[in-house]
Amino acid sequence: MNTNKNISNQSASKIKKFRRELPSTENLTNGILSGNKTALSRAITLIESTNSTHTKQANEIIERCLLHKTNSIRIGITGVPGVGKSTFIERFGKKLTAQGNKVAVLAVDPTSTVTKGSILGDKTRMEELVKDENAFIRPSPSGSSLGGVARKTRETIVLCEAAGYNVILIETVGVGQSETAVHSMVDFFLLLKLAGAGDELQGIKRGIMEMADAIVINKSDGDNVQRAKKARVEFTRALHLLKTQDNGWVPKVLACSALEDIGITDVWETITNYVAINTKNNFFIQKRQEQNKYWLLQTIEDQLKQQFYSNKSVKAELQVAIDAVINNKTSPFTAADKLLNLHSK
Amino acid sequence: MNTNKNISNQSASKIKKFRRELPSTENLTNGILSGNKTALSRAITLIESTNSTHTKQANEIIERCLLHKTNSIRIGITGVPGVGKSTFIERFGKKLTAQGNKVAVLAVDPTSTVTKGSILGDKTRMEELVKDENAFIRPSPSGSSLGGVARKTRETIVLCEAAGYNVILIETVGVGQSETAVHSMVDFFLLLKLAGAGDELQGIKRGIMEMADAIVINKSDGDNVQRAKKARVEFTRALHLLKTQDNGWVPKVLACSALEDIGITDVWETITNYVAINTKNNFFIQKRQEQNKYWLLQTIEDQLKQQFYSNKSVKAELQVAIDAVINNKTSPFTAADKLLNLHSK
């Protein structure tokens, strides 16, 4: 007993020490590659940190994880609050782990610093998935800029894949610019919608419907079944009016009930079908390569802007210039030239 | 006779001299404000010039013209080649001048350097409007970048308005990024479409439909009338699926035949109705102010990018970085940081 107690005391102290001290890059990377959730969580914390030592360490871990080739599917899931995203992800995730998949659930929510995590913050909404050893759930990183939040999430994807998660679900709220960011980091983009309440006739944020590879009408249960059917017809018709995607894929419109577990399997079949077709015609890998390039150029451009707008001389003159331009006192182009001169001095 | 001949010789030499020598900023500005087409044309040539002396003079003229307040309507007109833009503009322009308006027709076509002016280059397609003393037609400025072409056109609008043109039509081809540029410089954005040939069910460039304040189905004549009616229904339904504009305006779908002069007046009534509503609720002026601000910030961001990508060290390393990122040898963010460091050195 005494010996046992000592051993467990030693173990506890070891664990405490591990938690206090920052493990080496080597240890964290190996931990991730062996599928250790604690190592994965800690490395993600490094990614999210603003401390430059942490950033350096995070970058090394990412570079090593990048070398680790995996077959994963990255799925973006968007929809306005109330559409039932959490319930859908819980049900969808459980189906996938039951089939032997390892599922990571991430989120991009730039508003989370303000709202203290409006999505995925409350893990209790995914009770079963949280307890699932083949699922890993991480709320949105906080951050004032969408660029920062998106970057962190995108880097986290790399670590999750290296840790063996082969399905990455990335949740976002359908109300801002974050969809474009998520759309640029996933293989398949899912738009959740509600039938009824006139929702199929309005409220679609411009451009989001055009990004969707599938639209899923959720809460197609009880009184809603008929409305969902009607909504499917409406959306199918609307999608036909849009230009075909470059890969020839025609976005699918499905109906499901996450609550009553109806139609969830169809969603997964649609996605695997999409992946099969696009792997065959090489579009899948091409899209990922284009996304990599997109993030390189996008990061450069974001940083250039950030440097400009945080320049002291620019800051002092920007509002004056905006006011002059708004009131037609000067041309936008002349004003821009002046501010650019201030910046390059 | 001899005296007359001398006088006309003198006049001719004066004109020649005027054409050879660059008139002063003062003369050009006064010429523009008095509605002189030659002065207007010459000032636009200064805007289009790459000579820095010309640019300086152009900027002075623009600043002076900006002070001249006018009531104008700026209308963007887009549609794929073959939709009948020239015929529509000719017919529409003539209707407007007949009502006492002064109409300027400009174009934004970044491809024009390659195609030697695919739109408006051939003025013979607007035979009647060219001869109309209350119309002023100017083909797209040439230029390798959309930003440059758009800037020149936007500055030209200011001069045309100062010269008394109260309706500014800006044509663009519905195949590229130029619609966004034109949309950002007009009060009303018109999308020309064709009925029939399955065109209503496909081929709409993503996002363009969402920018339209009105969709006009052209060539609604002969056998096409029924198809145009059907297309109206389809488009009206599709537009309902989009989110309402900030100003509450629901985009109108109209049918017309520019060739047979049917429905052209309805288009103008829709536009004046839009202007009336939006002037009343202040949206009209707010939109123009936002556009001014947009062009200020957009120009800054374009220039920052241009400076970056033309930096010698960046140029030397960019493709290497892109390749590394595409092949997952490095993270897009790490590669971006390296390139940004090169640039700021």
Side-chain angles (χ1 to χ4, degrees):
Chain A
M1 276 290 278
N2 215 5
T3 322
N4 273 347
K5 208 181 170 186
N6 269 343
I7 289 171
S8 82
N9 270 347
Q10 275 172 5
S11 305
S13 128
K14 260 194 189 172
I15 292 172
K16 275 186 190 162
K17 203 179 164 211
F18 179 80
R19 298 216 166 184
R20 268 199 314 273
E21 285 174 21
L22 204 59
S24 69
T25 303
E26 194 66 25
N27 281 346
L28 280 178
T29 311
N30 291 339
I32 290 169
L33 293 176
S34 66
N36 182 307
K37 279 191 191 181
T38 310
L40 177 59
S41 292
R42 298 195 116 204
I44 296 173
T45 305
L46 291 178
I47 287 177
E48 293 175 352
S49 168
T50 52
N51 175 309
S52 63
T53 315
H54 293 171
T55 305
K56 195 166 164 284
Q57 202 181 350
N59 284 342
E60 286 170 21
I61 297 170
I62 294 162
E63 301 277 302
R64 294 203 200 177
C65 287
L66 269 177
L67 300 173
H68 187 78
K69 288 216 171 74
T70 66
N71 286 319
S72 67
I73 305 179
R74 303 168 184 169
I75 304 165
I77 300 176
T78 191
V80 293
V83 79
K85 280 194 296 297
S86 297
T87 314
F88 176 83
I89 290 172
E90 161 106 332
R91 194 70 78 171
F92 190 58
K94 285 301 288 178
K95 280 256 188 285
L96 296 178
T97 56
Q99 290 182 14
N101 296 290
K102 286 188 73 182
V103 178
V105 184
L106 311 175
V108 171
D109 179 9
T111 63
S112 65
T113 23
V114 183
T115 60
K116 301 286 172 204
S118 60
I119 53 176
L120 280 180
D122 185 9
K123 283 194 186 177
T124 54
R125 291 180 303 160
M126 297 188 190
E127 273 190 326
E128 290 182 53
L129 208 56
V130 166
K131 287 181 283 185
D132 192 324
E133 64 169 310
N134 287 314
F136 176 80
I137 302 183
R138 180 89 182 189
S140 176
S142 60
S144 51
S145 78
L146 170 61
V149 172
R151 171 180 181 151
K152 290 167 192 168
T153 303
R154 200 169 188 277
E155 293 182 328
T156 298
I157 295 175
V158 173
L159 302 198
C160 290
E161 290 174 346
Y165 294 91
N166 68 317
V167 181
I168 317 288
L169 305 179
I170 302 163
E171 181 186 6
T172 189
V173 275
V175 292
Q177 285 289 308
S178 51
E179 287 74 25
T180 312
V182 171
H183 181 250
S184 311
M185 59 176 88
V186 298
D187 307 311
F188 193 93
F189 197 68
L190 202 65
L191 169 61
L192 287 188
K193 291 292 299 172
L194 284 182
D199 190 50
E200 73 276 19
L201 289 178
Q202 53 177 291
I204 304 181
K205 212 185 140 277
R206 303 186 160 223
I208 294 202
M209 202 166 71
E210 302 184 332
M211 293 195 291
D213 297 304
I215 294 177
V216 177
I217 324 273
N218 193 19
K219 304 194 183 176
S220 173
D221 40 43
D223 293 349
N224 265 328
V225 174
Q226 280 311 312
R227 275 185 289 217
K229 269 191 190 164
K230 211 182 139 216
R232 273 187 79 169
V233 175
E234 296 260 5
F235 279 118
T236 306
R237 194 184 277 139
L239 287 172
H240 270 284
L241 284 164
L242 300 174
K243 206 181 153 194
T244 319
Q245 292 190 6
D246 294 341
N247 58 351
W249 175 260
V250 179
K252 301 289 175 288
V253 184
L254 305 161
C256 81
S257 165
L259 198 70
E260 299 190 359
D261 195 4
I262 300 165
I264 305 291
T265 311
D266 295 345
V267 176
W268 180 236
E269 272 173 18
T270 300
I271 295 172
T272 49
N273 182 31
Y274 175 92
V275 173
I277 293 170
N278 288 291
T279 303
K280 214 173 169 185
N281 67 19
N282 252 354
F283 186 84
F284 189 87
I285 181 73
Q286 274 170 26
K287 187 173 171 182
R288 283 215 179 167
Q289 291 181 339
E290 275 163 26
Q291 287 178 339
N292 284 352
K293 186 176 167 183
Y294 167 85
W295 283 100
L296 168 65
L297 303 182
Q298 194 58 41
T299 305
I300 288 170
E301 290 161 17
D302 285 350
Q303 289 289 324
L304 289 173
K305 280 196 254 177
Q306 211 218 305
Q307 285 165 11
F308 178 84
Y309 290 116
S310 59
N311 177 307
K312 271 189 187 172
S313 321
V314 169
K315 264 185 172 173
E317 286 300 323
L318 185 63
Q319 195 54 51
V320 181
I322 291 175
D323 290 341
V325 158
I326 282 181
N327 297 307
N328 284 324
K329 302 285 181 210
T330 187
S331 137
F333 307 105
T334 308
D337 291 343
K338 281 185 190 161
L339 288 171
L340 286 161
N341 282 338
L342 277 182
H343 179 51
S344 52
K345 257 181 199 161
Chain B
M1 277 289 274
N2 216 6
T3 321
N4 272 347
K5 207 179 174 187
N6 270 343
I7 289 170
S8 82
N9 270 347
Q10 275 172 7
S11 304
S13 128
K14 261 193 187 171
I15 291 172
K16 277 185 189 163
K17 203 180 164 208
F18 180 80
R19 298 216 167 182
R20 267 198 314 275
E21 285 175 20
L22 205 58
S24 69
T25 303
E26 194 66 26
N27 280 348
L28 280 178
T29 311
N30 289 341
I32 291 168
L33 293 176
S34 67
N36 181 307
K37 279 189 189 183
T38 310
L40 177 58
S41 292
R42 299 196 115 204
I44 295 173
T45 305
L46 291 177
I47 287 178
E48 292 174 353
S49 168
T50 51
N51 175 309
S52 65
T53 315
H54 293 170
T55 305
K56 194 165 166 283
Q57 201 181 353
N59 284 343
E60 285 171 23
I61 295 170
I62 294 162
E63 299 278 301
R64 293 205 203 174
C65 287
L66 269 177
L67 299 173
H68 186 78
K69 290 218 170 72
T70 66
N71 286 321
S72 68
I73 305 179
R74 303 168 185 169
I75 303 165
I77 300 177
T78 191
V80 293
V83 78
K85 282 195 295 298
S86 298
T87 315
F88 176 83
I89 290 172
E90 161 107 333
R91 193 71 78 172
F92 190 58
K94 286 300 290 178
K95 279 256 188 285
L96 297 178
T97 56
Q99 288 181 16
N101 296 291
K102 284 188 75 182
V103 178
V105 184
L106 311 174
V108 171
D109 180 9
T111 63
S112 65
T113 22
V114 182
T115 59
K116 301 285 173 205
S118 61
I119 52 175
L120 280 181
D122 185 9
K123 283 193 185 179
T124 54
R125 291 180 302 161
M126 297 189 190
E127 274 190 325
E128 288 183 52
L129 208 56
V130 167
K131 288 182 281 185
D132 193 323
E133 65 168 310
N134 287 315
F136 176 80
I137 302 183
R138 182 89 180 189
S140 178
S142 60
S144 51
S145 79
L146 170 61
V149 172
R151 170 179 182 152
K152 289 167 193 170
T153 303
R154 199 170 189 278
E155 293 184 328
T156 298
I157 294 175
V158 172
L159 303 198
C160 290
E161 289 174 346
Y165 293 92
N166 67 316
V167 181
I168 317 288
L169 305 180
I170 303 163
E171 181 185 5
T172 190
V173 276
V175 292
Q177 285 289 309
S178 51
E179 287 75 25
T180 312
V182 171
H183 181 249
S184 309
M185 60 175 87
V186 298
D187 306 312
F188 193 93
F189 196 67
L190 202 65
L191 170 61
L192 287 188
K193 291 292 299 172
L194 282 182
D199 189 50
E200 73 277 20
L201 288 179
Q202 53 177 290
I204 303 181
K205 210 185 140 279
R206 303 187 159 221
I208 294 202
M209 202 165 71
E210 301 184 331
M211 294 196 291
D213 298 303
I215 294 177
V216 177
I217 324 272
N218 193 20
K219 304 194 183 176
S220 172
D221 39 44
D223 292 349
N224 265 328
V225 173
Q226 279 311 312
R227 276 186 288 217
K229 266 190 191 164
K230 212 180 141 218
R232 273 187 78 170
V233 175
E234 296 260 5
F235 280 119
T236 305
R237 195 185 277 141
L239 288 172
H240 271 284
L241 284 164
L242 299 175
K243 205 179 153 194
T244 319
Q245 292 190 7
D246 294 340
N247 57 353
W249 175 261
V250 178
K252 301 291 176 288
V253 184
L254 304 162
C256 82
S257 166
L259 197 71
E260 298 191 358
D261 196 4
I262 299 165
I264 305 290
T265 311
D266 294 345
V267 177
W268 180 236
E269 271 173 19
T270 299
I271 295 172
T272 48
N273 182 32
Y274 176 93
V275 173
I277 292 171
N278 288 289
T279 304
K280 213 173 169 186
N281 67 19
N282 251 356
F283 187 84
F284 189 86
I285 182 73
Q286 274 170 26
K287 187 172 172 183
R288 284 213 177 168
Q289 291 180 339
E290 277 162 25
Q291 288 178 338
N292 284 352
K293 187 176 165 182
Y294 167 86
W295 283 99
L296 169 65
L297 303 182
Q298 195 57 41
T299 305
I300 288 170
E301 291 161 17
D302 286 349
Q303 289 288 323
L304 289 173
K305 281 195 254 177
Q306 210 219 306
Q307 284 165 11
F308 178 84
Y309 291 116
S310 59
N311 176 309
K312 272 188 188 170
S313 322
V314 170
K315 265 186 173 171
E317 288 299 322
L318 186 63
Q319 194 54 50
V320 180
I322 291 175
D323 290 343
V325 157
I326 281 182
N327 296 307
N328 284 324
K329 302 286 180 209
T330 186
S331 134
F333 306 105
T334 309
D337 290 344
K338 281 184 191 161
L339 288 171
L340 285 160
N341 282 337
L342 278 182
H343 179 52
S344 53
K345 257 178 198 162

